[in-house]
């Protein structure tokens, strides 16, 4: 299941109840991050973030990056991470975050349906529709 971070939950309530625009709303880009454990609602983008050699977050354009399926939004294009050139990770979670690197805010995070084992030569990727985001 998906989780909004505590900060994002507060941002959404402020927006709905007080009309306060969250700092991240206007930006054109979000990033997908990979995690080796649940980053939790109190975590940031770097909490349990993947760290295999060559890993980097993948940019997603908000206006075109997600398909609106009603209760579920899915990635509208292939999401392809850099190929591992060293080290290894067992990837269990992904998140949508506000920054390309560093301790950016997690907007929403969730578990993968299966652990993705990454080692040298493996390039994590998610086909169109494989990453589902729900508000539950």
């Amino acid at each position: 299941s998906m989780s909004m971070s505590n900060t994002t939950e507060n941002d959404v309530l402020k927006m709905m109840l007080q009309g306060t625009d969250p700092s991240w709303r206007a930006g054109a880009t979000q990033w997908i991050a990979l995690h080796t454990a649940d980053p939790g609602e109190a975590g940031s983008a770097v909490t349990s973030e993947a760290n295999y050699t060559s890993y980097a977050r993948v940019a997603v354009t908000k206006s075109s990056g997600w398909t609106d399926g009603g209760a579920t939004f899915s990635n509208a294009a292939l999401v392809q991470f850099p190929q591992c050139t060293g080290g290894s990770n067992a990837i269990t979670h992904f998140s949508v975050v506000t920054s390309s690197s560093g301790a950016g805010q997690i907007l929403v995070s969730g578990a993968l349906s299966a652990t993705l084992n990454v080692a040298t030569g493996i390039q994590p990727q998610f086909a169109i529709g494989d990453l589902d985001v729900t508000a539950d």
Side-chain angles (χ1 to χ4, degrees):
S1 76
M2 302 301 301
S3 268
M4 283 190 213
S5 70
N6 293 337
T7 303
T8 300
E9 289 171 351
N10 187 256
D11 286 348
V12 170
L13 289 174
K14 284 181 186 177
M15 182 177 59
M16 287 190 309
L17 302 175
Q18 298 179 327
T20 303
D21 218 6
S23 61
W24 44 263
R25 189 202 56 80
T29 307
Q30 300 164 329
W31 289 265
I32 306 291
L34 298 176
H35 302 271
T36 59
D38 185 351
E41 291 190 12
S44 77
V46 297
T47 304
S48 302
E49 188 172 18
N51 61 2
Y52 66 81
T53 306
S54 300
Y55 166 79
R57 297 174 193 160
V58 174
V60 174
T61 302
K62 290 191 324 191
S63 63
S64 61
W66 300 97
T67 300
D68 180 352
T72 302
F73 282 68
S74 300
N75 57 305
L78 175 69
V79 174
Q80 193 168 52
F81 290 84
Q83 180 174 316
C84 177
T85 59
S88 64
N89 283 141
I91 308 297
T92 60
H93 289 73
F94 78 98
S95 63
V96 179
V97 303
T98 60
S99 63
S100 61
S101 63
Q105 181 174 332
I106 291 177
L107 298 175
V108 65
S109 65
L112 300 179
S113 58
T115 299
L116 176 61
N117 291 305
V118 178
T120 300
I122 302 294
Q123 183 171 21
Q125 63 181 23
F126 300 94
I128 294 170
D130 275 0
L131 295 177
D132 294 332
V133 176
T134 60
D136 56 357

